[in-house]
Amino acid sequence: FCVNQTPFYAESGGQVGDTGAVRWADGSAVIVNTTKTAGLFLHHARIDTGTLAPGQGVSLDVDVNRREALKAHHSATHLLHEALRLVLGDHVEQRGSMVDGDRFRFDFSHDTSVSAEEIRKVENIVNMEIMRNKKVVTTSMSMEEAQKKGARALFGEKYGDVVRVVNIGEDFSVELCGGTHVNRSGEIGLVKVALETSVASGIRRIESCSGAKATELCNAQQDQLSAISNVVRGSKGDLPLRIKNLVDENKNLQKEVKVLKQKLASTAGNEIMQGIIEIGEISLLTKVIEDSDASSLRTIADQIRSKLDNGVFFLVGLNNSKAALVSGVTGHASDKINASHLMKFVSEQVDGKGGGRPDMAQGIANNTDNLESALDSVVEYLNNKLN
């Protein structure tokens, strides 16, 4: 259908297109998006009932609640832009934005991450300006007049000879903009930053929301704090101290566990020595050790090295679904056997990798199903090397 005018805003300058409905005498359709092509507004419609015919009169209705949220979020981006410049410096320039009914995203030039303290300052400036509830004034003027007024042009946008200037807060924010905006700044409601992150080198991104969506975000954050309080059994007021104490306690426990594992590994080293077999003049020890990570496996390996005068050992440490590997060569066995080569030989059979020195090597196994046969192959490997 074709109309000579429309109340729908077409996607432009980061603001998404309007949605709503179109109705006529015997039918209706849902407008799911509005875009602009070659100066024409395109209404993307899904017909629910009836059929449209040429010359058919229609009624266009914008989704008012969504439009109000879009206006609030778009005006909030203008205030956020100026607040960022005040807090971070005049080098801040908009590098992109996205405004929809649930949130808004604002990209800007800045070399480092924005600290929590700086975010709080930006939020305070924006919300103080909102509480002033000043009228938002839009004026059409020449580009030259707009430049004299100090209006900020957006990065990457193209402008004609006549531009639209949006003034929020009595010159607090003055920008060239063709989007929809609130009538007074107070209509924006609370603005809350949800996320600050990096987009590219020298470009940062802030994701935020306003009004009812900002209230929802604050409520969600309060719910998270309540959940954390229940888990750590502390009140919201002492959460930082409570969490710090738990982290410190966990670190101490980890240290104690490490010491105990080393002691157990030392004891295990004595027991493992009972599994030695002789191949010619060389002693061979292969073993799978349950509940052993790479660190404790190295401790066991050190114990074996001190007890095995002339031999080769290959150890596998199993910890959940992971497997650590250690190979070692002692005494005269090193004349014919290289621990690193042995590690490569075994690790390839278990979809793993490894390497190290001629006398000591480490690796990992990704396929633990083949561990038993891989360990059995060490005997044949030694026989081939020795003969």
Side-chain angles (χ1 to χ4, degrees), residues 2-242:
C2 181
V3 292
N4 63 354
Q5 57 184 320
T6 179
F8 281 69
Y9 178 84
E11 181 178 324
S12 178
Q15 180 175 332
V16 298
D18 277 335
T19 60
V22 54
R23 297 178 177 84
W24 58 96
D26 60 350
S28 64
V30 175
I31 305 296
V32 296
N33 194 14
T34 309
T35 59
K36 187 190 299 183
T37 301
L40 297 176
F41 282 56
L42 303 180
H43 303 80
H44 301 254
R46 184 186 69 245
I47 295 179
D48 288 338
T49 59
T51 304
L52 270 172
Q56 176 76 59
V58 297
S59 172
L60 296 172
D61 299 308
V62 174
D63 184 336
V64 176
N65 291 332
R66 184 170 179 272
R67 166 68 76 80
E68 291 301 315
L70 285 168
K71 288 163 60 177
H73 281 159
H74 200 155
S75 297
T77 64
H78 286 223
L79 296 181
L80 179 68
H81 188 185
E82 193 59 36
L84 286 168
R85 290 174 61 86
L86 291 174
V87 174
L88 303 179
D90 292 339
H91 64 279
V92 170
E93 291 184 357
Q94 182 173 339
R95 287 291 183 264
S97 69
M98 190 284 294
V99 178
D100 67 19
D102 294 325
R103 63 191 175 96
F104 64 87
R105 187 179 69 213
F106 189 82
D107 298 344
F108 58 98
S109 55
H110 190 57
D111 289 332
T112 60
S113 62
V114 185
S115 68
E117 182 181 357
E118 289 169 331
I119 291 290
R120 184 62 55 83
K121 288 180 180 179
V122 168
E123 285 181 336
N124 288 341
I125 291 172
V126 171
N127 287 314
M128 286 299 294
E129 194 59 41
I130 289 171
M131 285 188 286
R132 291 179 65 209
N133 196 29
K134 295 295 182 179
K135 185 174 178 61
V136 176
V137 179
T138 58
T139 311
S140 294
M141 62 183 73
S142 68
M143 176 60 83
E144 182 179 357
E145 289 178 304
Q147 290 173 336
K148 289 180 180 179
K149 191 174 177 62
R152 303 192 193 285
L154 301 186
F155 178 79
E157 287 288 323
K158 295 181 180 180
Y159 300 96
D161 295 333
V162 177
V163 295
R164 182 169 178 260
V165 177
V166 178
N167 188 322
I168 305 178
E170 297 176 343
D171 295 338
F172 175 81
S173 168
V174 183
E175 292 188 13
L176 305 184
C177 183
T180 62
H181 289 277
V182 296
N183 294 317
R184 306 188 75 90
S185 60
E187 297 171 21
I188 299 172
L190 172 70
V191 166
K192 186 67 179 174
V193 173
L195 179 68
E196 190 276 341
T197 187
S198 172
V199 177
S201 178
I203 306 294
R204 307 297 299 182
R205 170 173 292 172
I206 280 181
E207 295 188 19
S208 185
C209 53
S210 68
K213 293 298 180 180
T215 302
E216 290 176 12
L217 176 61
C218 290
N219 289 338
Q221 291 175 341
Q222 287 296 317
D223 291 342
Q224 289 176 339
L225 286 176
S226 297
I228 295 171
S229 298
N230 291 334
V231 171
V232 302
R233 298 179 182 179
S235 65
K236 293 179 183 179
D238 65 4
L239 272 183
L241 179 60
R242 179 63 177 153

Side-chain angles (χ1 to χ4, degrees), residues 327-344:
S327 62
V329 180
T330 66
H332 296 302
S334 60
D335 295 339
K336 294 187 177 182
I337 308 299
N338 184 302
S340 183
H341 295 170
L342 175 58
M343 175 58 66
K344 185 174 185 297

Side-chain angles (χ1 to χ4, degrees), residues 307-340:
K307 294 178 173 63
L308 195 63
D309 295 330
N310 185 41
V312 176
F313 62 88
F314 200 100
L315 307 177
V316 177
L318 291 179
N319 187 19
N320 296 323
S321 60
K322 298 180 180 179
L325 311 176
V326 172
S327 62
V329 180
T330 66
H332 296 302
S334 60
D335 295 339
K336 294 187 177 182
I337 308 299
N338 184 302
S340 183

Side-chain angles (χ1 to χ4, degrees), residues 277-316:
I277 63 173
E278 301 297 331
I279 300 178
E281 297 180 353
I282 292 179
S283 301
L284 172 63
L285 175 64
T286 61
K287 204 77 171 180
V288 176
I289 305 169
E290 300 288 345
D291 300 322
S292 179
D293 56 16
S295 177
S296 58
L297 198 64
R298 287 193 298 269
T299 301
I300 295 173
D302 289 338
Q303 291 289 321
I304 294 173
R305 283 168 58 85
S306 66
K307 294 178 173 63
L308 195 63
D309 295 330
N310 185 41
V312 176
F313 62 88
F314 200 100
L315 307 177
V316 177

